[in-house]
């Protein structure tokens, strides 16, 4: 039996490659406009990094990681997200000792053992950005603005921006206790995962995907009503900066980010029309992550944006992804002499940046023409004995059928 791709993984096929290139190019462009530089980190890390950096009460660490021992007996985990590896590199390369903030972006595969469905894969891809080293809400607003602008440029401006605050080490303990008191009478009805979260991280229960738990949480107290003065002011600042930029948002107290290291600002961009996997981008502030994984006490803020979900939203919106690069010229030939001439000419044209091709299956002229059509070539040239001798070529426009005589030396200009 033929071997198939693993469940939850997908091939990017050649006919779709231009879509990926388009979003990747635009992603790099906008990040550079906002002053972010690229960082690339390995596909696997020590498991410990994610246990500490993502947090051992999260879905990711509790049930979604691809973890194995390598032949040297080390516990290795395939990167389930991009923030903790970027933070690890920031610490390891002493970037924290340079002038702050450090603004980085990435484009990375992520691996999570999840139940595959539309918009939910086991290997997926994320665009992300991080701003390390500032407590100012200017950074939070800048990151949100980048996400907002990017989604608009990609033609999916109808996504909603939901923002909230998850508090800080000062105000969260008070809220946590209030929430525990609220949930305690129904403790036995919680799912097993949430039971284990009850002591260590009860806020995560609000984010549980089980409907029963969601129902229990319906009238739960909300963090946003328990914020300390500083966190309240910070949320007001973010909102004001967003207003300054004309960015529309909805304050949504139910936003609970899935990762333990988040503090203060939390946000999501939620798309319409791709069902339950509508969240295309999620992020926020993580003031204790860098310290948690062994670095200095330095704050950070960032987001991750799912590339597959983005492309789904764009397809739904009828986006053309900048169109596919067309083949400009297809060379056909009759006879061996003409074939050699075509090989030389093709090589020359490509050297001058023309997208050109010929038939490497060596079909007859009719077959070559059919193939040129299939490839969507804009122009064709038929090379025979006469053309080889005279250097006078006939360029055929495949769309209009129009034919023009061109000297071989003039070919590049004519195209
Ligand atoms: P969800 O609640 O949908 O599981 P999450 O909170 O786990 O999302 P994050 O960890 O914030 O997601 O990841 C950021 C983005 O990456 C998401 O908004 C989504 O677009 C994308 N993403 C997350 N998990 C997957 C997946 N399994 N397959 C495809 N895209 C994903
Ligand atoms: Mg998830």
């Amino acid at each position: 039996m033929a071997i198939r791709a693993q469940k939850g993984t997908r091939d990017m096929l050649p006919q779709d490659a231009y879509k990926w290139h388009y979003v990747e190019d635009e992603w790099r462009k906008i990040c550079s406009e906002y002053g972010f530089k690229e960082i690339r980190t390995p596909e696997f890390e020590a498991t410990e990094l994610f246990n500490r950096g993502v947090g051992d009460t999260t879905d990711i660490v509790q049930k979604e990681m691809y973890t194995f021992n390598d032949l040297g007996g080390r516990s290795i985990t395939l990167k389930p997200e991009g923030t903790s590896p970027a933070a690890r590199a920031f610490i390891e390369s002493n970037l924290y000792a340079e002038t702050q903030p450090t603004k980085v972006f990435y484009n990375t595969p992520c691996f999570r053992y999840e139940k595959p469905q539309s918009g939910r894969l086991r290997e997926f891809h994320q665009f992300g950005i991080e701003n390390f080293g500032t407590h100012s809400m200017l950074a939070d607003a800048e990151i949100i603005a980048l996400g907002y602008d990017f989604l608009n440029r990609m033609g999916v401006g109808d996504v909603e921006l939901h923002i909230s605050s998850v508090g800080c080490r000062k105000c969260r303990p008070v809220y946590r206790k209030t929430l525990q008191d609220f949930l305690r009478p129904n403790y036995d009805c919680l799912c097993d995962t949430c039971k284990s979260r009850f002591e260590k991280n009860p806020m995560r229960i609000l984010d549980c995907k089980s409907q029963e738990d969601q129902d229990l949480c319906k009238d739960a107290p909300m963090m946003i009503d328990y914020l300390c003065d500083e966190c309240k002011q910070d949320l007001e600042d973010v909102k004001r900066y967003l207003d300054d930029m004309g960015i529309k948002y909805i304050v949504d107290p139910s936003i609970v980010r899935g990762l333990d290291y988040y503090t203060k600002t939390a946000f999501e961009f939620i798309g319409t029309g791709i069902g339950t996997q509508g969240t295309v981008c999620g992020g926020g502030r993580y003031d204790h992550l860098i310290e948690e994984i062994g670095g200095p006490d330095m704050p950070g803020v960032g987001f991750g944006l799912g590339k597959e979900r983005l492309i789904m939203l764009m397809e739904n919106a009828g986006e053309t992804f900048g169109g596919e690069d067309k083949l400009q010229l297809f060379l056909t030939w009759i006879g061996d002499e003409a074939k050699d001439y075509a090989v030389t000419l093709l090589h020359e044209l490509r050297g001058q940046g023309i997208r050109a091709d010929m038939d490497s299956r060596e079909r007859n002229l009719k077959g070559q023409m059919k193939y040129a059509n299939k490839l969507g070539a804009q122009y064709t040239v038929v090379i025979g004995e006469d053309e080889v001798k005279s250097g006078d070529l006939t360029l055929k426009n495949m769309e209009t059928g129009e034919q023009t005589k061109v000297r071989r030396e003039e070919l590049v200009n004519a195209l």
Side-chain angles (χ1 to χ4, degrees):
M1 208 179 75
I3 297 170
R4 303 181 63 94
Q6 287 299 292
K7 200 170 156 184
T9 69
R10 269 197 347 213
D11 300 308
M12 183 205 77
L13 296 171
Q15 61 264 33
D16 289 324
Y18 73 102
K19 299 181 184 175
W20 288 71
H21 296 161
Y22 177 70
V23 295
E24 284 161 2
D25 289 348
E26 292 292 322
W27 171 246
R28 267 201 296 275
K29 206 162 105 199
I30 198 166
C31 287
S32 149
E33 287 165 16
Y34 273 75
F36 288 79
K37 289 189 181 166
E38 185 169 11
I39 185 165
R40 297 188 192 187
T41 64
E43 289 347 295
F44 60 87
E45 297 271 357
T47 302
E48 177 72 9
L49 174 65
F50 303 112
N51 287 347
R52 280 161 56 182
V54 178
D56 52 14
T57 58
T58 58
D59 275 354
I60 293 182
V61 170
Q62 285 183 333
K63 36 189 193 193
E64 296 174 358
M65 294 208 302
Y66 278 90
T67 297
F68 57 94
N69 284 335
D70 72 5
L71 295 177
R74 304 169 193 89
S75 180
I76 298 291
T77 294
L78 303 184
K79 194 196 260 192
E81 54 100 41
T83 301
S84 8
R88 192 231 357 101
F90 172 78
I91 300 165
E92 191 168 337
S93 307
N94 297 327
L95 293 180
Y96 59 83
E98 320 251 316
T99 310
Q100 297 307 323
T102 301
K103 293 162 69 172
V104 298
F105 75 88
Y106 55 80
N107 170 12
T108 181
C110 295
F111 306 87
R112 297 186 192 176
Y113 193 78
E114 299 204 66
K115 205 166 135 213
Q117 46 196 295
S118 167
R120 195 174 289 285
L121 296 156
R122 289 185 174 172
E123 182 191 32
F124 64 99
H125 300 79
Q126 265 188 9
F127 290 140
I129 46 174
E130 316 292 347
N131 181 328
F132 298 125
T134 172
H135 285 285
S136 166
M137 292 297 131
L138 284 172
D140 305 47
E142 177 182 56
I143 269 173
I144 295 173
L146 191 155
Y148 180 91
D149 280 351
F150 182 60
L151 292 170
N152 270 291
R153 285 188 201 180
M154 296 300 92
V156 291
D158 60 341
V159 293
E160 286 177 354
L161 166 60
H162 291 221
I163 67 167
S164 188
S165 171
V166 295
C168 68
R169 281 181 175 171
K170 258 185 291 169
C171 49
R172 202 146 60 193
V174 182
Y175 167 70
R176 165 205 290 253
K177 202 179 159 303
T178 315
L179 181 61
Q180 280 171 329
D181 291 345
F182 171 87
L183 291 168
R184 195 166 286 112
N186 289 314
Y187 177 85
D188 290 332
C189 308
L190 292 171
C191 75
D192 288 344
T193 314
C194 284
K195 282 192 182 112
S196 75
R197 290 166 169 159
F198 187 84
E199 283 307 327
K200 277 189 87 172
N201 202 346
M203 247 176 109
R204 194 73 59 232
I205 298 174
L206 300 175
D207 203 20
C208 181
K209 299 220 162 61
S210 124
Q211 189 55 50
E212 292 78 43
D213 290 12
Q214 281 294 316
D215 292 343
L216 291 178
C217 291
K218 218 169 66 212
D219 299 314
M222 288 299 184
M223 182 68 235
I224 205 163
D225 300 317
Y226 292 80
L227 297 177
C228 62
D229 288 344
E230 187 191 296
C231 286
K232 254 190 229 155
Q233 185 57 51
D234 282 342
L235 180 58
E236 286 311 309
D237 283 349
V238 177
K239 284 161 59 182
R240 199 177 66 254
Y241 298 140
L242 293 177
D243 291 337
D244 290 342
M245 293 184 275
I247 294 174
K248 296 215 163 37
Y249 54 84
I250 297 164
V251 176
D252 177 355
S254 74
I255 299 275
V256 183
R257 301 290 310 136
L259 309 176
D260 271 356
Y261 47 65
Y262 282 104
T263 50
K264 297 180 187 275
T265 314
F267 62 91
E268 289 185 357
F269 286 93
I270 305 175
T272 48
I274 56 169
T276 45
Q277 267 66 56
T279 304
V280 60
C281 171
R285 182 163 274 280
Y286 44 84
D287 285 344
H288 307 297
L289 167 73
I290 295 171
E291 197 179 19
E292 183 63 39
I293 60 173
D297 177 11
M298 262 190 163
V301 58
F303 72 61
L305 191 153
K307 234 198 289 185
E308 284 83 358
R309 289 190 198 175
L310 170 67
I311 290 176
M312 271 166 78
L313 283 171
M314 291 171 71
E315 284 170 343
N316 278 2
E319 216 6 82
T320 56
F321 298 89
E324 210 169 350
D325 280 347
K326 283 240 174 72
L327 183 64
Q328 290 169 282
L329 179 64
F330 192 88
L331 302 175
T332 67
W333 47 270
I334 317 162
D336 281 345
E337 210 185 337
K339 179 165 69 173
D340 282 320
Y341 185 93
V343 168
T344 309
L345 180 56
L346 178 62
H347 189 69
E348 235 174 77
L349 290 169
R350 285 173 169 169
Q352 296 187 64
I354 302 288
R355 288 186 301 279
D357 213 344
M358 64 190 271
D359 182 6
S360 57
R361 282 194 68 165
E362 307 200 23
R363 276 170 276 234
N364 63 20
L365 184 61
K366 201 171 148 212
Q368 293 179 42
M369 274 300 183
K370 250 176 115 172
Y371 181 52
N373 243 323
K374 172 97 183 135
L375 293 181
Q378 291 174 302
Y379 291 92
T380 52
V381 155
V382 182
I383 302 163
E385 230 171 276
D386 291 349
E387 283 76 14
V388 173
K389 271 200 206 96
S390 66
D392 287 326
L393 305 176
T394 306
L395 203 56
K396 181 176 175 190
N397 182 323
M398 294 296 277
E399 210 175 302
T400 62
E402 191 191 337
Q403 309 217 4
T404 1
K405 287 246 178 276
V406 188
R407 290 285 309 156
R408 177 193 162 132
E409 312 79 68
E410 289 301 313
L411 198 51
V412 173
N413 282 341
L415 289 167

